[in-house]
Amino acid sequence: MRTLIRMMKIFLGPHKVGVALSLVLALATTGMGMFVPWLTKLAVDRALVPQRGDLVTVFAAAIVGVGLLRMVFAFCRRIVSGRVALAVETEVRNRLFDHLQTLGLDFHLRSQTGQLMSRAIADVRAVRMFLGYGLIFVMTNVATLVGVTVILLLLQPRLAIMSLAPLPLILVVARAFSKRLHPSLWAIQQRVAELTAVAEERIMGIGVIKAFAIEHLQAEAFEAASDRIYRQNLEAAAIKGRYVPLLGMLPSISLMIILFYGGRAVIADQMTLGSLVAFNGYVMLLIWPMRMLGMLVSWGERAVASGERVLEILEESPTVRDSPRASALAAVRGVLEFDDVSFEYGGRRVIDGVTVRIERGETVALVGPTGCGKTTLAHLIPRFHDPARGTVKLDGHDLRDITLSSLRGSIGLVDQDPFLFSLPVIENIRYGVPDASLERVEQAARAAAAHDFIQALPKGYDTTIGERGLTLSGGQRQRVALARALLTDPAILILDDATSSVDAETESRIVAAIGGLRGTRTTVIIAHRPSTVMLADRVILMEHGKISQIGPPCDVPWEEILVREAEESLQRGIAAAPRARASEEEQA
Amino acid sequence: MSRVVTRQTAAEESGQGLRVWIQKRSVLRLVRFALKYRWQALCTIVAMVAVTATGLAGPYLLRLAIDKGIAGKDLHYLGGIAILYLAAGILGAVLNGLQTYGMNWVGERVVRDLRDSLFRHLTSLDIDYYSRQRAGWIVSRLTNDIEALESLLVEGVAQLVVSTLTLVGATAILFRMDAHLAGATMSVIPVLLIATVIFRARASEAYGRVRVAVADVSVALQETLSGIRVVQAFRREQRGSEAFAAVNERNRKANMDTVYISGAYFPGVEFLSAVATAIILLYGGRQVAAGQISVGILVAFIGYLSSFFDPVESLSELYNTFQSSGAALQKVVSVLDTVPGDTEAIGGLSAGCLEGRLDCADVSFSYDRGGVDVLESLSLSIPQGQRVALVGPTGAGKTTLAKLLLRFYQPTSGTVFVDGIDLRDYDIRDYRRHVGYVAQDPYLFSGTIMDNIRLTEPEAEPARVIEAATALGVHELFSNLPEGYETQVQERGSRLSAGERQLVSFARAFFSEPRILILDEATSSVDPGTEHLIEAALSRLLAGRTSLIIAHRLSTVESSDRILVMEAGHIVEDGDHASLLAAGGPYARLYRTQLRVP
């Protein structure tokens, strides 16, 4: 309940007038609806039973008049509450989006994209639906319940009590129904998502499936997933099959009571026929609100859960942000210093006491086995993370004292699997400098050895790539991303395995062209090919989060060290399993 | 291949969905799946008829109660009617529960069967089909289309039967009670129909726009979230926010249109029902005054009004259901009707224990009939156990040759022989079981490393997997991962490094104990330690097997028994490393420009 109130404050706050107006209109609509059975009663008692055809016209006109008013109110209510609800949805989603953009890489690494998407789309919609419509339904349904009960009690107190008695059960049953059905429906969605994942993987991996001739095994896996959906659906059907009769039965009990006891009262002249008809009409009017209210409670609970998920993101504060004393760096020279820097990720120390100074214009190659902390170290430079201990400095300033905007503006970072947007190539390259001329774009592309293949694309630089366009190869994507980074002319360039899919010769050509040649750009390269590493001024060998060797390429036997370690692991593996080795020799 | 995008355009969805239902063939296809459960379906339909009947009984019983029980002051009769009323209510409710369960039982079974046979059929289709059809399109058949058919089979059919019966039944009852009053009441029906048709058309168009707008919001969101690092690195947050707000605003506007449309329709229909009540009172009231009909009949007429309004609304909803499920059925049937290419022909010779001799006799191939030949009259003989490296520039036909040997494609002319027997004579799946294949960018399935290695035998003992990994020299690498062999590789193996993915795919091929190995070497660079492991594992994987390697690494080429140099669909050089280097031909050039730089 507290969350609900907080949600209403945060989300509905700016729309108080609209909310109040739609509430008034909703109550007016409900009120008009309650006139109709009453008019029918009057028509029966005053016109039909006394057989006065002339009076009938009056009642018919009244019904049309009330109906017209009701239509106007209902139309206005729908427009007003629709406006409010959609405004809330749009505002919340915009806020969520803006906030997600400010959250750091640590947040985005630990949250799944799909999860965030479903919060920003489905959860926001659930909040909209409930705040925009659900609350109004609650009000109008309660108003109907109270109004009808009062009218019936005035008409015939005894019959009212008898016929209304079974109805609250509808509320209870509907609530139980919704409470049981919803988890089941949710589970169906889960099963469907699982099947989709199974199907996607099988379709994309069809080459492997065919090559290994395991079609039958995959069909079995698919059928198992398919059967799980079926079973879950049947479970939901069983719940429906059980509750639907209950919900259908309860109103018939009330209507039967009205028919018999009401009929008897009419015969005994304790009540008019019109009142009996009205009773019937009013109880019919109650059935739906009763069911709705039962479900609305569960609906509300789910909306509150959705709202909590949305608020959870909105209230997450970015770990990396400008400190109050941060200032913009005017002219970046590009001197990087790591001073006893450590960093932990998931309880593991990934960087352990790294101290190193990288000079302006220097090209440094970071090498080491998979998982030694190279990428994490590189990510500390644009402050994707802050170190747990120690400081990273740029031109002598602690990174935390520099505004994020001026820091990142002076750094170009390209990684192994770069993300390109579904835009034309040219837009991708000038992503960081949207008004760059074609000439500058081509220049950057040439430096990244991308110009030739881009020109050969169907529409050259205007070819749309990515998810909704042409699929580029890994090496091509890497080169486009490189051009994108080069165009911003960064003082510091970080290539995180950024040319691994480019062939060896092109790679060394690129590195030679963009590296320290001009003598002003500081370049940090994570690479594996000796020919590329040779081009660096210094090599830093990292192992287990520490710098184990550092020096000019010819002085650091990094290749030998890594190969020797691999060889040792090979020998150990074989020594550990003599039985397996025997079988291998048998094979050969 | 790009990630699967399962987004349907509105145009794809609407279109000619309805026309499918008059095509006998497609419908028969669906009916055949349902016939398997005909008795259960029949019982469900009987229940539906009974539910409708009990639903229609209410107002009629009310009429009898008023006219005979109350007017006739007959308490016994009134009691009888009341009991009948309750009995009809209870019976209807119970039958409705049974009907709901029955419809789900039958519908979901048909859906499951359809989905399963669709998938089985898809796996039987040839590789060429998959290269022509986008993965997202195919997945959408298995998910979106099946879901559309599900909503038809589980809800649509029941809705159609019950609504039609209610409409017909109510009309019949009204005309039987009083034809004149029935005629007067029916006068609102044309207005209702016209309003509903207009509403449906408008609403379906508006909701189509909402779907597109929502999809746009998702895409915008997804791109930003996936590329958050780029967005932040290039400080594009401000522009991103503006663009997103614009997309979001379009979504709001599209939604607002639906608010206007349904804001006009639903209150309008309620007004129409008030008008109908007024007509009944006006016309019927005079008849009552004239003694032509009883008060009970008039009350019953008002009671039956909802039996008109509700079915018309739900039938109009069905229009959409039939449209979208019709389009879905058409696409599903088109897939089911696709005949697998002759590369997938099952039956034929069992491969038994293959020796692994490969011969190509005058083989030509082009991807499109009458198109450019990718391979041209290629002849080649590889003896059992030979290790062959295939080199040459991009587009020379190396991968195509590999695919012909896997029989993913069939030569346009010429023959591939394995152990001297035409490849076409083998049972294809049996043959492929003897061929190991390692792709350039190996595809791993989400699951553990263990499961990825024992892909061909999911039930194999872990000890056998470990044995295979040990024999390849990668046991220590795998067991040193955070959760060892139980490490989840995640979708496409994204949790592993490129080198680790390659080693898993080596282990996978090794585990299946192939006689022939076809390997497309990865081009991306890995650290020298992993490189060393890969080289060691490769030589163990190839030992004693006939192998064809599309080679990119110098070490691989040097250690091969034989090197084939391909250019433009021809083999231009054939020999070992030393002799080819000495010859100073294409290989020597390739060696200098591509292979030597490590």
Side-chain angles (χ1 to χ4, degrees), chain A residues 368-370 374 416 497 499-502 507 527-530 533 558-559 562-563, chain B residues 497-503 522-535 553 598:
Chain A
T370 310
K374 294 169 295 196
Q416 184 186 10
D497 221 350
T499 43
S500 58
S501 300
V502 176
E507 184 183 58
H528 304 302
R529 294 190 181 105
V533 175
W558 62 282
E559 217 189 324
L562 295 181
V563 169
Chain B
S497 73
E500 287 162 347
R501 277 202 296 274
Q502 269 178 59
L503 289 169
T523 47
S524 60
S525 61
V526 294
D527 70 85
T530 310
E531 176 90 32
H532 185 73
L533 284 180
I534 290 176
E535 272 172 33
R553 290 190 170 83

Side-chain angles (χ1 to χ4, degrees), chain B residues 468-488:
Chain B
T470 308
L472 274 183
V474 292
H475 173 62
E476 188 172 285
L477 179 86
F478 291 156
S479 47
N480 278 347
L481 288 171
E483 288 124 86
Y485 284 88
E486 294 305 314
T487 304
Q488 294 284 337

Side-chain angles (χ1 to χ4, degrees), chain A residues 499 503-513 529 531-532 535, chain B residues 597:
Chain A
T499 43
D503 65 82
E505 200 198 356
T506 315
E507 184 183 58
S508 35
R509 215 175 62 224
I510 292 172
V511 171
R529 294 190 181 105
S531 55
T532 305
L535 298 170
Chain B
V597 194

Side-chain angles (χ1 to χ4, degrees), chain B residues 5-285:
Chain B
V5 191
T6 45
R7 175 193 161 197
Q8 259 176 310
T9 62
E12 201 182 338
E13 232 171 77
S14 61
Q16 299 153 340
L18 282 179
R19 218 176 290 163
V20 178
W21 297 108
I22 50 173
Q23 290 171 0
K24 231 198 279 163
R25 229 172 40 82
S26 299
V27 178
L28 274 182
R29 206 69 196 237
L30 191 61
V31 167
R32 214 173 304 147
F33 277 96
L35 275 181
K36 208 171 142 193
Y37 308 108
R38 54 186 172 277
W39 297 116
Q40 291 89 339
L42 196 68
C43 290
T44 306
I45 288 174
V46 170
M48 275 179 214
V49 175
V51 167
T52 314
T54 56
L56 286 172
Y60 196 79
L61 289 174
L62 185 62
R63 177 227 154 167
L64 291 180
I66 291 173
D67 287 350
K68 305 234 167 111
I70 296 172
K73 298 192 190 296
D74 184 343
L75 220 51
H76 281 288
Y77 189 85
L78 189 64
I81 292 290
I83 287 167
L84 263 181
Y85 193 95
L86 185 64
I90 291 175
L91 186 67
V94 171
L95 284 170
N96 196 13
L98 285 177
Q99 180 264 110
T100 306
Y101 188 78
M103 208 55 228
N104 274 274
W105 194 92
V106 174
E108 295 296 348
R109 256 167 208 259
V110 173
V111 166
R112 185 193 60 185
D113 294 351
L114 187 63
R115 184 166 50 210
D116 290 353
S117 63
L118 185 61
F119 186 80
R120 259 187 201 275
H121 185 73
L122 277 168
T123 59
S124 78
L125 293 177
D126 48 296
I127 286 285
D128 194 41
Y129 178 81
Y130 287 90
S131 63
R132 280 183 282 110
Q133 207 66 268
R134 289 174 66 100
W137 189 91
I138 300 174
V139 172
S140 184
R141 305 291 74 79
L142 284 164
T143 52
N144 297 347
D145 285 353
I146 296 291
E147 241 166 81
L149 286 168
E150 181 183 15
S151 74
L152 172 80
L153 290 169
V154 176
E155 283 146 31
V157 173
Q159 226 173 339
L160 180 69
V161 174
V162 173
S163 298
T164 313
L165 286 177
T166 305
L167 209 55
V168 172
T171 313
I173 293 172
L174 289 194
F175 273 94
R176 262 215 63 191
M177 286 197 298
D178 188 274
H180 291 287
L181 188 51
T185 311
M186 294 285 174
S187 64
V188 296
I189 298 293
V191 184
L192 178 64
L193 278 179
I194 291 168
T196 304
V197 167
I198 292 174
F199 166 70
R200 274 302 148 200
R202 287 273 177 104
S204 109
E205 189 235 1
Y207 279 105
R209 270 185 286 131
V210 168
R211 270 197 302 276
V212 172
V214 169
D216 286 346
V217 170
S218 308
V219 170
L221 194 61
Q222 189 177 14
E223 281 227 318
T224 300
L225 289 176
S226 316
I228 190 76
R229 213 182 303 177
V230 183
V231 171
Q232 292 184 345
F234 288 94
R235 297 165 299 141
R236 284 277 297 239
E237 291 95 337
Q238 186 58 38
R239 274 165 174 274
S241 289
E242 284 160 18
F244 184 77
V247 174
N248 210 8
E249 176 62 17
R250 273 208 300 281
N251 175 42
R252 193 189 71 81
K253 284 209 174 110
N255 267 295
M256 204 56 214
D257 287 348
T258 69
V259 170
Y260 282 116
I261 293 167
S262 40
Y265 175 73
F266 290 103
V269 169
E270 277 183 30
F271 175 64
L272 210 55
S273 126
V275 171
T277 311
I279 290 175
I280 294 172
L281 269 183
L282 206 61
Y283 192 86

